[in-house]
Amino acid sequence: MHALKCLAGNEVGNAIRGGIRRRLSYVMGIETSCDDTGIAIVDTNGRVRANVLESQQEFHTRYGGIIPPRAQDLHRARIETAYQRCLKEAHLAPEELAAIAVTTRPGLPLSLVVGLRFARHLARRLQKPLLPVHHMEAHALQARMEHPEEIPFPFLCLLVSGGHCQLAVVHGPGRLTLLGQTLDDAPGEAFDKIGRRLRLHVLPEYRLWNGGRAIEHAAQLANDPLAYEFPLPLSQQRNCNFSFAGIKNNSFRAIRTRERAERTPPDGVISNYGDFCAGLLRGVSRHLMHRTQRAIEYCLLPQVRLFGDAPPTLVVSGGVANNDTIYANIAHLADQYGCRSYRPSKRYCSDNGVMIAWHGVEQLLQDREGSLRFDYDQIDIQGTAGFAESHEEAVTAAAIKCKWIQPLG
Ligand code: KG4
Ligand code: ZN
């Protein structure tokens, strides 16, 4: 019997936590919330020992979007090999892992369940603690792996991905306060749908790219970046919520108008797609800036003072944080308030196993009550999941009027 098994619940936790503090420990992170199978090993100093990522992008782009049962099949087919590759890359034996972290929420249930079952089986076999991870929290904490000193808790975070758009104050793992979120689409989702409608995937260079990446690249080809203008969403709502449905519908309309005027063939792309993409990025940046600006001002209100007298540190994370135009605009906004801004390295902005492993490390180091779980069967997946606390009502009640900072360029 494994030595840990001889100890009672709390003692096991204390023994492991004590060990983790004394020496370098390794946490494996398993991510299968959507269409990427990610498995990685990170040590308690934040050094990445292995990072294996199996993308399903090529498969799903053929069908114009993710088909959940197919995503599940692909996760199932690839997870064992990804695990073996990860251990090999790290030069570690499974027994050397201190814990297994796995995304349990939010995400596509059919995808999440593959990762959880695999992680549960592994944890039970190795008699290691299983650390359930909230996917969006993992995005939020990732930048701390690379900048631990510069990003102390609490910090302000703008989360922009394919499924979410949220502003939150991050106090630690499991301790996020929501300030605002999207009322409809997420920005990455809007980019993917608009990119598809624009038919960027028929251009060979973009064939295997996601919509956001293709739009960012195409925008650099603009001759007249101001040719397209987009309405500012929620301009009358003095809160930190987002909306991208209007920008998406406007895009569809503008593309259709141009296609008719140019008689674009059914498998063709409008001639000034670069101008369109530049305008779209500017419109999305402006909206993200406005809502983030109000969040900064909310945090600084004398009755709130979420960060004392200091300006908050701002982190931008999630797949859309890959976008240099969007990040530069948010960093520019942060500058105006004396806030330092960060984003994870590009390879860690999008979904990956490293961020899940790092969230596991943060859980271990934070000594969170109940973070070391051996009740494997009690841990389950959740398709949707919010944060611990919400200040959304307080933000709305504060009805802050801002003097808007304009996007760059
Ligand atoms: O965080 P992520 O990998 O998965 C989710 O949790 O959703 O984000 C994926 C999203 C996609 O919708 C994709 O279009 C977007 O991130 N994305 C980008 C860029 N790269 C990926 N959006 C804008 N610019 C990019 N360079
Ligand atoms: Zn994500």
Side-chain angles (χ1 to χ4, degrees):
M1 186 192 280
H2 192 285
L4 287 174
K5 266 190 147 179
C6 308
L7 302 171
N10 262 351
E11 289 171 58
V12 175
N14 291 339
I16 288 181
R17 275 191 282 264
I20 281 158
R21 273 206 220 86
R22 277 195 302 277
R23 59 180 157 70
L24 203 61
S25 301
Y26 306 102
V27 174
M28 174 172 274
I30 300 178
E31 156 64 29
T32 64
S33 70
C34 191
D35 61 342
D36 291 306
T37 316
I39 306 195
I41 297 174
V42 174
D43 72 26
T44 34
N45 283 342
R47 229 184 98 212
V48 178
R49 298 292 301 240
N51 180 18
V52 175
L53 193 63
E54 292 271 356
S55 170
Q56 302 179 0
Q57 178 87 22
E58 185 172 354
F59 179 87
H60 295 299
T61 41
R62 263 187 267 150
Y63 298 93
I66 295 167
I67 306 162
R70 295 273 77 78
Q72 181 178 54
D73 290 345
L74 290 170
H75 281 306
R76 275 199 188 129
R78 294 171 173 183
I79 199 161
E80 174 68 35
T81 341
Y83 165 72
Q84 295 297 348
R85 268 179 56 208
C86 184
L87 286 174
K88 201 169 162 204
E89 201 176 303
H91 301 289
L92 287 172
E95 293 72 26
E96 290 175 88
L97 299 170
I100 317 289
V102 59
T103 310
T104 55
R105 65 200 190 280
L108 298 174
L110 287 177
S111 293
L112 286 169
V113 84
V114 179
L116 176 61
R117 284 196 187 135
F118 189 83
R120 207 190 260 150
H121 168 75
L122 202 63
R124 186 175 283 124
R125 183 161 63 78
L126 299 169
Q127 279 297 303
K128 302 285 180 185
L130 190 58
L131 305 169
V133 172
H134 187 299
H135 179 87
M136 298 314 292
E137 280 188 27
H139 274 305
L141 295 183
Q142 178 56 38
R144 272 172 53 84
M145 188 186 91
E146 294 163 283
H147 306 279
E149 307 289 325
E150 295 88 343
I151 314 174
F153 293 125
F155 60 89
L156 180 62
C157 189
L158 170 64
L159 290 162
V160 275
S161 73
H164 293 82
C165 191
Q166 295 163 314
L167 274 160
V169 177
V170 185
H171 297 273
R175 297 172 54 218
L176 275 74
T177 304
L178 185 70
L179 302 183
Q181 60 185 327
T182 185
L183 304 176
D184 40 58
D185 295 343
E189 177 185 7
F191 285 144
D192 292 339
K193 288 179 178 161
I194 296 167
R196 194 88 201 161
R197 176 62 190 84
L198 201 52
R199 292 192 282 271
L200 288 180
H201 57 278
V202 307
L203 303 173
E205 64 270 43
Y206 303 143
R207 197 173 63 85
L208 296 178
W209 288 14
N210 60 60
R213 186 171 173 211
I215 287 167
E216 175 169 30
H217 189 272
Q220 289 161 13
L221 310 174
N223 291 315
D224 181 4
L226 301 180
Y228 287 88
E229 239 193 86
F230 289 83
L232 186 65
L234 307 181
S235 60
Q236 303 305 311
Q237 289 191 29
R238 289 200 197 144
N239 54 33
C240 292
N241 291 333
F242 303 84
S243 167
F244 295 92
I247 289 180
K248 183 185 68 183
N249 292 331
N250 252 273
S251 297
F252 290 173
R253 223 171 296 135
I255 296 166
R256 191 172 58 236
T257 305
R258 183 79 187 187
E259 284 175 346
R260 283 189 184 151
E262 290 190 339
R263 298 180 186 277
T264 312
D267 56 351
V269 184
I270 57 171
S271 60
N272 64 344
Y273 66 88
D275 293 347
F276 173 85
C277 291
L280 174 62
L281 275 190
R282 188 179 165 83
V284 168
S285 296
R286 195 160 154 243
H287 181 42
L288 292 171
M289 285 173 78
H290 278 201
R291 315 316 277 187
T292 308
Q293 185 173 349
R294 185 172 280 113
I296 295 173
E297 295 211 4
Y298 172 77
C299 293
L300 294 172
L301 284 177
Q303 67 271 31
V304 177
R305 287 177 80 246
L306 274 168
F307 301 91
D309 291 328
T313 298
L314 180 63
V315 170
V316 187
S317 201
V320 178
N322 276 300
N323 192 290
D324 290 336
T325 304
I326 290 176
Y327 181 69
N329 275 310
I330 299 292
H332 167 65
L333 163 71
D335 264 1
Q336 312 304 305
Y337 285 84
C339 304
R340 283 169 304 135
S341 48
Y342 298 90
R343 63 172 161 173
S345 298
K346 288 198 178 185
R347 62 186 178 284
Y348 304 136
C349 280
S350 304
D351 293 353
N352 63 82
V354 170
M355 69 184 204
I356 307 307
W358 175 249
H359 190 287
V361 170
E362 293 260 26
Q363 287 191 52
L364 290 180
L365 297 179
Q366 287 280 307
D367 239 8
R368 288 230 308 130
E369 193 65 35
S371 68
L372 291 185
R373 307 264 310 255
F374 290 88
D375 53 344
Y376 310 122
D377 289 326
Q378 301 305 310
I379 297 174
D380 211 346
I381 58 153
Q382 275 173 267
T384 55
F387 296 142
E389 200 189 18
S390 171
H391 275 202
E392 283 176 292
E393 279 182 17
V395 171
T396 305
I400 301 164
K401 204 173 161 201
C402 303
K403 202 161 167 282
W404 299 121
I405 310 289
Q406 294 307 316
L408 297 160

